[in-house]
Amino acid sequence: MIQVVREDITRLHVDAIVNAANSRLSGGGGVDGAIHRAAGPRLAAACGQLGGCPTGQAVITGGFDLPARWVIHTVGPVWTGGQAGEADLLASCYCTSCQLALAHDVRTIAFPAISTGVYGYPKAEAARIALNCLRDYQPKFERIVICCFSDADRDLYESLLD
Ligand code: ADP
């Protein structure tokens, strides 16, 4: 089941939430900052031990003070016009995160709209890429939540899911 919600991802009671991280895993603004604030300082300490993460890949830590047991940190591409492999890298974020989640027996997982904030990925194209991957993985999870942070994003995903 794929579910679209408009929520703060840090509030979701799922096995794992996915973070749109930077490659240093150093925390930042947007969803990354919100996750670090809600998880508490132990999250930054855990991230610091991982030595970063390349664009398009994912790493996993505990969720600490979050309701979620795990945080999967994936590094989306910065949009530079579409000729720098952004689409493949964004697809890889979603698929790699799903694979890592399954390896940790995650049954319920929530994703933000990776790369569509500060990293500037066009929202509709990013949503198509996300759904392409998540549809493939849907049978392997009990629930996949697409966690939007605006009504416009929620409407976009819902229209593409129909
Ligand atoms: P990126 O650097 O990958 O673009 P951002 O955090 O800037 O990451 O934005 C990614 C998406 O996360 C945007 O659609 C933004 O609106 C959304 N977002 C920001 N805060 C939250 C939150 N607390 N919960 C869910 N989504 C959020």
Side-chain angles (χ1 to χ4, degrees):
M1 163 198 190
I2 296 180
Q3 184 186 12
V4 181
V5 301
R6 183 201 190 289
E7 245 303 0
D8 176 349
I9 200 167
T10 65
R11 297 166 54 88
L12 297 182
H13 289 256
V14 286
D15 296 334
I17 63 172
V18 176
N19 182 18
N22 60 57
S23 58
R24 297 173 313 286
L25 305 176
S26 57
V31 70
D32 195 5
I35 289 171
H36 274 267
R37 280 191 299 278
R42 287 178 294 169
L43 182 61
C47 286
Q49 299 195 323
L50 294 173
C53 178
T55 302
Q57 299 297 302
V59 293
I60 191 165
T61 66
F64 303 104
D65 296 343
L66 290 164
R69 178 168 181 210
W70 303 105
V71 179
I72 293 173
H73 308 262
T74 189
V75 182
V78 176
W79 177 260
T80 58
Q83 303 301 306
E86 291 98 324
D88 287 346
L89 288 166
L90 186 60
S92 173
C93 286
Y94 283 95
C95 298
T96 308
S97 295
C98 286
Q99 285 162 15
L100 191 55
L102 291 170
H104 288 77
D105 295 323
V106 166
R107 303 289 301 137
T108 57
I109 184 169
F111 285 87
I114 299 162
S115 282
T116 68
V118 171
Y119 282 6
Y121 211 109
K123 282 173 179 280
E125 193 42 39
R128 266 181 225 106
I129 290 168
L131 286 174
N132 241 344
C133 170
L134 297 181
R135 279 198 185 98
D136 286 347
Y137 278 93
Q138 176 179 2
K140 301 192 189 296
F141 291 94
E142 192 179 307
R143 184 159 58 105
I144 296 176
V145 181
I146 298 173
C147 184
C148 300
F149 208 50
S150 69
D151 290 340
D153 280 3
R154 185 196 51 203
D155 293 348
L156 169 65
Y157 273 96
E158 279 178 350
S159 69
L160 290 173
L161 261 182
D162 287 343

